Amino acid sequence: MRVGGIGYVAVLALLAALTFGAGSAYAQEETISDDRFTFSGGAARTSDASVPDGYSAHMLNDSADWKIQYRNWDFGTLRPGVLYDVYVKVKVAHTVPNPTGNAFKAGVYDLTNESSVLPERTIAAAETVNGTWQEIKIGTFAPNSGVNSLSFYVGGTANAGQVSDIYVDAFTFKEHRNYSIEDNLFYKFNGASLVSDEMTSDHSAARMANGPGTGWNLQAKVDGTRIEAGKTYKITAGVKPERSDWKTSSGDLFGYLVYNLTTSSFLVNPTIVDSATFPKVYYFHQVQIGSITVDPSHDVRVCFFPVDNAANFPAIRVDSVTLTQQPEDESYGKSIHAYPYKLSPANGDGLNDTTQISYTLPSPQTVGITVQRLSDQATVRTLTTPALQSGSQSAVWDGKNDNGQYVDNGLYVVRVGNGTTDALRTNVQVIDGVALSDSPNPIKNDVPKGIFYEAGAIPYDVTDAANYLNDTFADIHQLGADTVYLANWHAKPAAVYAETLSKAAQNQIKVIGLPDAYTLFNETLYNDEQAMYAQIGELVSPYMSDTALYAYYLADEPGNDLKLADNLKDIKRMMETIDPSRPALSTYIGLDRLPLHYDAQKPHVMNIDPYGVREGNAIGDFTSIYHYPGFTFETYMDFASYQVRKDLEDDAPMWSILQTNESTGWLRNPTAEEIRAMTYGAIGHGSKGFSYFVYQTELDWTGIVDEHYQPAEDYVTVQTLFSEIETLKPTIRKMKRIANVATASGGGNAAYATADVTTHLDTETGDKYLVVVNHDCLSPANISLSIDRAALGMDITAVTNMLDQAGVAFTATPTHYVISNLGFAPGDGKVLKLTRDAAQDVYVGEDAAFHVNNGATKEQIDVSAGDGKTAKHAVTSSRTWNFQWFWDPAELTPGATYDLYANIKIQYATDMYKDGNGVDRNFEPTGDAFSYGVYDVTANTYPVPEKRMSASGMENMFWHTVKIGSFVPSQTNSQVVYIMPWDNPGNVKEVYVDKFYFVKR
């Protein structure tokens, strides 16, 4: 391929002279004038009175060389990730009156990769007008898709006998716009009409009645001046059916086709749409009509025809028909690419610190990978030495040179070759990157009561939106919610976003949402952190001062995708740098996806949706959650909270989005009792936020309100639960889940042996709580509780139901507290406070006072520990007394008997595994976790004999109170209490000890 006589090295040198960095303002259109062109073969900039600036580029048509080029690699002035149409402004001089052959050619070429970006377009002489400027479209491309050098060129055709001279004034980039045929332009027949509709951007839609007959009653005629010959267009239409009954209407909805009247032929055959394939939503759904190639001179129409099913669907409404040109480079696949192509390694912030070079060799070749500085073509790094390779390969560059130092900012060329000949090349830019900062967790103590809300149903017109939002937000406030998740809060006018927040504030609602969040998810932004940062700032800056905006919502149930996890991490960190007053949240799901995303993003909230009621499960059976046979609703909640608890410094609360919906083929609509049981189960398993899915009725979900926005069957249930959560908020806020100390009898069903019981610590008073849930969602139950006094680690003076503050009777034995026959309604839950006997004499030894041995450490930050610090030891294949506390006898009463306790937790070797059938299961450790005892150093005796604690007797990463024993401490001898982690690393990863403490009997 000719490049106007300029070789590759010269191209690199030319590019090196360009200014690095992107502009801060984005253009919808940008014109590159001839003063920025590169010339060869005698081409030059000349005076030209026919253009505004008085100059144009000129070349003779005596060869096929690309004599006029615009070369660039930095398109930072254009909107990142947006498609642009490329035009060139050209005029030619005819040698003869009616020239034949070709006049010139134009295209876009990747000089670095040596491949076409846009196929070369050749313009016939007959298509030109002598001495007249014409704007010729070269094609549609995605700028910012890399930092390779691109050439936008005009070449000759060696046809000077017909067209002698070629002039070029400018290359122009115009933001690509899809061609939409609005409803007011439709042909309407047989009673079809234009009606007002608040769910469209133009506030109108074309309405076609269903019934007998097959007339093409709505027709959108394609304007041939708006399309290009030979191009393929994808056709979509915004359609909304009218339903006689939201729940029961079924069968055929309407029909569509595309017809060429000129040739009397179908371009898309008549197709009938069945309601089973059509989502049940309030807004206009984009129907995929098909892909066609249209002759602009033909009369082509996209048509809609009725079906004889007016009893179910009286009519349909069509908002618009859109033709989307398929850009030639949209799925352009390179043989080599770098991700990201802009990296910022020197700041080491975990954001684009390395780039992965991926390439494909069509046949075995001996090649290595080097990185060359573009400015002087010096090799800075040899990534791999030449070796025989074939197929797909990859390597990682960390932005360092061969001496281990970070390279300077600038443009670099990655070369795959044998040292003399390159097989492949691509460019990488090294930049400073953006400055990120850690933000505090502003909502870690909140207890939100939320609703998931379909924001796609908000009207486009600001007045209609205001009325709709005021009604629905007022209802949500009446329901008892204080927080709304806005799903699909996209493609609305800015005034509607502002009105949404205004109406939320008026109705005392906090909003979790992000207008047009989908614009953040494109490849250009993934690669360019500066552009991503700017885009985030553009999205959030209009709303940062709005007090109704509570948090940003990034992604709903992101999939098992490492790249997406990393990108969400980057978006979150940038967003919380720009606005540290609000967290950026996602909702996580699954055994694989949840830890993948949480570990990458470390959000301020572990937000999950543990939908527990599956199709086919009996009422009250919350097993096989998400089709995981080894997990129940409760164990899944613990699995989710473990992802937070395993990081000792993570203070993120867990919030739950609870099921109030069905989903055909997966979920059964829960009963009121099941919703109650899941809510109290969420409280019991550590949730601090409670939201319900979903508010509106749509798809196959019956919402908390029906299709007419009237209270549905779950409305009162959720309203009552919100009221109870409001009462329990002060308690929930200070509850911290610890290992369970109680067992239940009663309250079970076929899926569960007994009621669910969990134990919690009051972080302010030291009291403890039991959360008890009746698993029987069909019948009342009398549930009895037996509380292990040794595991409780304190005496109690009262038991209180925290919802109504009623006292609960209990009895005491030397080993247990017993609550007998406590009455529960079906699926009901209770939070019971166990009031600590404040009169007990307690002497505490924190980990700071420990002696630690053999690799154990102390005063490690642990947000779950009583004083925020803990001692820990990583389990090995040997065992010693790694945690020891020598107490001060003067703090104890001579001759008195004391119970000695330790607060201990362990981390399992893993949290889950696959069984022999490939089924995910909770890991259940075997063997011992540690041993413990009291040793008298002076007398060489054991006042408390050593005992072992099995690993299975310890819940994973929950604090346990372990009673070491009862004895009379010596006032004269040196005595020590110890914990000895067992040599069982295959089952126990780490052992943590927060404190020891004496309780005087």
Side-chain angles (χ1 to χ4, degrees), residues 441 574 696:
N441 191 340
M574 290 183 193
Q696 298 104 323

Side-chain angles (χ1 to χ4, degrees), residues 495-510:
V496 171
Y497 294 135
E499 191 64 30
T500 303
L501 294 171
S502 174
K503 291 304 179 185
Q506 291 177 27
N507 289 284
Q508 303 173 53
I509 296 292
K510 299 176 295 183

Side-chain angles (χ1 to χ4, degrees), residues 875-896:
V875 174
T876 66
S877 56
S878 62
R879 59 180 185 264
T880 55
W881 294 0
N882 290 344
F883 306 101
Q884 302 178 32
W885 178 46
F886 292 85
W887 59 85
D888 181 359
E891 295 289 338
L892 302 176
T893 301

Side-chain angles (χ1 to χ4, degrees), residues 770-1000:
L770 300 181
V771 180
V772 187
V773 182
N774 179 16
H775 273 135
D776 191 338
C777 293
L778 292 172
S779 305
N782 289 323
I783 299 172
S784 296
L785 302 171
S786 179
I787 305 167
D788 186 332
R789 295 184 65 170
L792 186 63
M794 66 182 195
D795 292 345
I796 62 174
T797 58
V799 177
T800 307
N801 184 333
M802 296 305 294
L803 187 61
D804 59 11
Q805 296 299 307
V808 176
F810 69 98
T811 59
T813 73
T815 59
H816 290 82
Y817 292 110
V818 178
I819 299 172
S820 299
N821 296 321
L822 191 59
F824 284 73
D828 199 10
K830 299 184 190 296
V831 180
L832 306 178
K833 179 180 179 179
L834 310 180
T835 303
R836 180 176 60 90
D837 184 353
Q840 286 188 298
D841 185 2
V842 179
Y843 168 38
V844 178
E846 294 286 359
D847 66 282
F850 293 179
H851 290 268
V852 291
N853 303 296
N854 302 306
T857 57
K858 61 182 181 179
E859 295 190 273
Q860 300 295 309
I861 293 176
D862 185 342
V863 296
S864 71
D867 63 347
K869 294 183 179 180
T870 189
K872 71 174 185 177
H873 175 72
V875 174
T876 66
S877 56
S878 62
R879 59 180 185 264
T880 55
W881 294 0
N882 290 344
F883 306 101
Q884 302 178 32
W885 178 46
F886 292 85
W887 59 85
D888 181 359
E891 295 289 338
L892 302 176
T893 301
T897 298
Y898 284 85
D899 294 334
L900 177 58
Y901 296 92
N903 279 4
I904 307 175
K905 66 181 176 183
I906 69 171
Q907 184 175 20
Y908 293 175
T910 186
D911 57 330
M912 55 175 286
Y913 72 100
K914 290 186 182 295
D915 65 17
N917 296 317
V919 174
D920 292 300
R921 302 283 183 182
N922 267 312
F923 180 70
E924 297 180 359
T926 59
D928 291 323
F930 55 86
S931 62
Y932 55 90
V934 176
Y935 178 66
D936 190 311
V937 179
T938 305
N940 192 25
T941 59
Y942 288 85
V944 177
E946 183 172 304
K947 298 178 183 177
R948 297 184 187 181
M949 173 63 73
S950 68
S952 62
M954 301 284 290
E955 295 181 61
N956 192 15
M957 288 301 282
F958 285 121
W959 287 110
H960 289 243
T961 298
V962 176
K963 185 174 182 179
I964 305 295
S966 298
F967 68 111
V968 178
S970 172
Q971 289 292 302
T972 57
N973 291 0
S974 175
Q975 295 180 323
V976 62
V977 58
Y978 63 87
I979 303 294
M980 179 165 62
W982 216 249
D983 52 345
N984 190 14
N987 288 278
V988 180
K989 181 179 180 180
E990 288 188 318
V991 176
Y992 308 83
V993 183
D994 176 25
K995 63 185 177 183
F996 294 99
Y997 67 96
F998 285 100
V999 177
K1000 185 180 179 183

Side-chain angles (χ1 to χ4, degrees), residues 629-830:
F631 282 79
T632 66
F633 176 88
E634 297 81 8
T635 57
Y636 182 80
M637 294 281 293
D638 290 344
F639 167 82
S641 71
Y642 169 76
Q643 310 310 317
V644 180
R645 291 180 281 114
K646 68 184 180 184
D647 182 347
L648 301 183
E649 299 186 30
D650 194 347
D651 62 357
M654 183 170 70
W655 294 354
S656 300
I657 300 168
L658 299 162
Q659 178 186 347
T660 57
N661 70 292
E662 74 274 29
S663 184
T664 302
W666 177 33
L667 300 175
R668 170 176 58 76
N669 205 39
T671 66
E673 293 76 15
E674 287 177 314
I675 296 171
R676 172 169 289 277
M678 285 188 289
T679 301
Y680 275 89
I683 295 173
H685 287 269
S687 188
K688 300 292 186 180
F690 309 90
S691 298
Y692 296 89
F693 187 93
V694 60
Y695 179 67
Q696 298 104 323
T697 290
E698 61 169 11
L699 299 175
D700 58 351
W701 306 326
T702 300
I704 294 170
V705 295
D706 66 17
E707 64 274 18
H708 304 296
Y709 286 89
Q710 298 303 305
E713 59 181 339
D714 293 336
Y715 189 98
V716 173
T717 299
V718 172
Q719 187 176 49
T720 302
L721 286 167
F722 275 148
S723 175
E724 293 176 17
I725 291 168
E726 184 63 32
T727 300
L728 293 171
K729 262 188 179 182
T731 300
I732 294 171
R733 185 174 284 116
K734 59 184 180 177
M735 284 169 54
K736 180 180 69 180
R737 171 96 192 276
I738 59 176
N740 190 34
V741 302
T743 57
S745 60
N749 57 23
Y752 298 91
T754 66
D756 186 63
V757 185
T758 53
T759 305
H760 304 254
L761 173 70
D762 188 316
T763 55
E764 296 178 2
T765 66
D767 298 325
K768 293 182 179 176
Y769 301 92
L770 300 181
V771 180
V772 187
V773 182
N774 179 16
H775 273 135
D776 191 338
C777 293
L778 292 172
S779 305
N782 289 323
I783 299 172
S784 296
L785 302 171
S786 179
I787 305 167
D788 186 332
R789 295 184 65 170
L792 186 63
M794 66 182 195
D795 292 345
I796 62 174
T797 58
V799 177
T800 307
N801 184 333
M802 296 305 294
L803 187 61
D804 59 11
Q805 296 299 307
V808 176
F810 69 98
T811 59
T813 73
T815 59
H816 290 82
Y817 292 110
V818 178
I819 299 172
S820 299
N821 296 321
L822 191 59
F824 284 73
D828 199 10
K830 299 184 190 296

